[in-house]
Amino acid sequence: MIKVSIIIPCYNATTYIDNCIKSIMKDELKEKEIIIVNDGSTDSSLSVVENYFSNNKDIDSQIITTENKGVSEARNIGVEHAK
């Protein structure tokens, strides 16, 4: 079965990151991993993501936190960690 890595760069995304993850989880593709790259957020984005994944431990997920380097670098970091 094919596994898909979904990489989400996240910078100050408190207002929409929860809905973003929920939308991905509605997809019928079973073999997927979600990689959130917290790109130096200064809001509560990281705690929202951590809370979601701690309440849904069956999701194959990674959270990577970096200093703010921009969306392109955040994507590249996510690719480096993809399985």
Side-chain angles (χ1 to χ4, degrees):
M1 192 171 269
I2 296 173
K3 186 164 195 171
V4 174
S5 298
I6 301 163
I7 300 165
I8 304 170
C10 177
Y11 177 75
N12 292 345
T14 298
T15 56
Y16 63 85
I17 193 66
D18 189 59
N19 285 335
C20 177
I21 298 168
K22 287 177 183 176
S23 176
I24 292 166
M25 295 312 301
K26 288 180 184 178
D27 188 286
E28 294 181 12
L29 181 64
K30 301 294 180 203
E31 290 295 314
K32 60 187 164 209
E33 69 174 334
I34 301 174
I35 301 170
I36 306 283
V37 181
N38 176 36
D39 191 32
S41 292
T42 57
D43 65 358
S44 60
S45 298
L46 181 58
S47 63
V48 170
V49 171
E50 289 172 334
N51 185 50
Y52 188 91
F53 289 139
S54 69
N55 291 324
N56 296 278
K57 295 186 187 298
D58 58 324
I59 300 171
D60 185 359
S61 62
Q62 295 183 57
I63 303 169
I64 302 159
T65 298
T66 66
E67 63 184 52
N68 184 262
K69 296 180 181 182
V71 68
S72 295
E73 185 63 25
R75 271 193 215 104
N76 290 338
I77 291 167
V79 169
E80 291 171 4
H81 287 85
K83 297 176 196 163

